[in-house]
Amino acid sequence: MAAEPAFKVIFEHEGVFLHPSSDEEIEPDFLVSGTLRILDKDAEIVVEYRPLEDAVDPSNMLCAGKDSSSVVEWAQCPGDRPQSQQLLEAQLSYETEWDMVNAVSFRKRRSSNMEGSLNSSHERSRWAFAFSVSDLRSVTVREEGWTFIILQLKDSSTPLPHLHFHQGGSRAFLDSLRRFALLTESPSDHTCLLVSTPNKALSQSFENLLDDNNFGLVHKFKRDPYVTTLGGLSKVTNYLFDALRGTEEQQQRPPEEVADLLGEVIPGLEINQQEEPGFEVITRIDLGVRPEVSRKSPLTADDWARHQDADGRMKDVPDLKHAVFKGGLCHALRKEAWKFLLGYYPWESTHEERKTLQREKTDEYFRMKLQWKSVSEEQERRNSRLRDYRSLIEKDVNRTDRTNRFYEGIDNPGLVLLHDILMTYCMYDFDLGYVQGMSDLLSPILYVMENEVDAFWCFVAFMDQMHENFEEQMQGMKTQLIQLSSLLRLLDLAFWNYLESQDSGYLYFCFRWLLIRFKRELSFVDVLRLWEVMWTGLPCENFHLLVCCAILDSEKQKIMEENYGFNEILKHINELSMKLDIEEILQKAEGICLQIRSCKDLPRPVATILGFDVESHCTDSTDCGSALASGAARREGGISNGHMRESSCKQSGRGAFVS
């Protein structure tokens, strides 16, 4: 007997009623009570209603597998299957995406009057229904002392009964539906929500923002994290473009409505329809000639040793940072130098002080690790958040940098360390927990450190910078996209106008670059180089935004000459992955920094984004790194871009990006 495809319950609410009294064959006071669910069935999002008696169907029963976090589908009694098949199911069950289900078998309650029970079940089963969210045309919400919802399918010949929420739950249902469909108010009826949905394959891409074959804008903003957008390039971009452009039944959306829709896709994003909200209007500004800059060789062990005194304190730190910015580090140095660049080791600490610090941090780490290690299966069964974190971590770890020798193969100890560090981080910051993409930030750090404790605390320091990228409201991501748009507009107004004309002015295609700091765009070795350069805090704040500008500057000619539209731009940017030259990009980004800094009429908000003092400009026309090194050294802990997680900055217009 073939097994049914596994499914995941996204939403479930009991006590949703149907009022079928309009049917002459039904008694006037007859009500049907049942369970309303939203399911993920093999990447297809399905809304399902089952009357109460049919809520448990033996043919769809699930039972727990050997592992507490796994399930196997029940198709027949275990005794009816060969033992080898049962063992195979137990092994494969670990790979399922189920977090946890009841570990008991369901049994229908027997009725003393079997015939009456069968008749009742037959009568109510006629009211069961299910449909794909992609087939949904509209949702109408009405009030009648309670809330009831009218669902209309695109195939109007298939009417559905109204759903009456006598016991509440309508809002939770709509919120869950919004994770997979864009609901917009109908111009002609404020109670009617028009549904714009992706096709079947989009639901799969919504689960995989950072899949190597996908490209993401908005990840599941909630727990997974983020809602997930632009993940499955061709499918998702078509979806977003159609959503912003409007369906065939709707007129062309005005700019203010596009802004509102983006606000729904990125919760909390406010897009003013002024020329540039919160900023001075940027017209064409003469930035002058972009200076030529050069890169240098990586810092060697001898160079590093010359910057240490007899007790191990680092000296001439500004010059040291400048050398790292200009050339990076030789690989043998990274294990020690990254601890300083990330703020794990204080620059002024001695050898002995660092040994003491490491002992303290080791004890603290293993105390936190013991917290989740000592949770029993019974406890975890009652802790849904921990289960969710563990499930997501296990899924992500198994697909993170598996082509790298450090993580390749089955039962690789590097994967175990990756898993344990991420689980321990959930104990360190339980409010944030684990969010997809964090494994990408940890992987290079663990690769360099080759030590569980050191990798954890360096990861903590990096997450202090990146924290807002992964928070539910994604304030860091929203601010970065707006700031990047402002910088690009200053640098090349013609290119910015072209992107705007192609519905790409919000720079969705840069989302993944910013979310995980180009981790999926560069080779592994180049990621190490870029990160250590950015961790110096030079040559300005938010240097990674200028790295984005440098890449776009190199691609603008092709984009404009080929007259790329919305989809083509996204596809082209996505295909740049693993084709970028990091040294060329860093060289151009530094040149852009010099060019902007030398501008005498630089708009104050742009200066604030980059941390420039508008009253003082760099006088060195060939290299502003040295001039800024002393300023960067004053920034706390040498943190990249001069921002810590709790930092704040007051300014006119918008607040500076805190990442």
Side-chain angles (χ1 to χ4, degrees), residues 518-528 578 580:
F518 307 94
K519 170 63 167 54
R520 295 295 180 93
E521 320 313 318
L522 303 170
S523 68
F524 199 84
V525 173
D526 284 352
V527 169
L528 306 184
M578 302 302 157
L580 300 170

Side-chain angles (χ1 to χ4, degrees), residues 4-12 37-48 62 69 71 73 96-101 179-180 203-204 206-207 220 223-224 384 387-389 391-392 395 436:
E4 295 288 328
F7 62 84
K8 182 176 181 180
V9 179
I10 296 166
F11 167 85
E12 184 172 30
R37 298 196 295 179
I38 299 178
L39 307 173
D40 184 344
K41 288 189 174 183
D42 191 23
E44 181 176 21
I45 306 303
V46 174
V47 176
E48 175 189 84
L62 296 175
S69 64
V71 298
E73 188 151 359
T96 67
E97 294 187 5
W98 286 77
D99 299 333
M100 193 65 184
V101 297
R179 293 173 56 187
F180 307 97
S203 298
Q204 179 67 35
F206 271 13
E207 299 292 329
K220 288 181 180 177
R223 189 177 57 197
D224 277 334
S384 61
R387 288 200 311 271
D388 290 341
Y389 291 153
S391 174
L392 199 55
K395 183 170 67 174
Q436 279 183 298

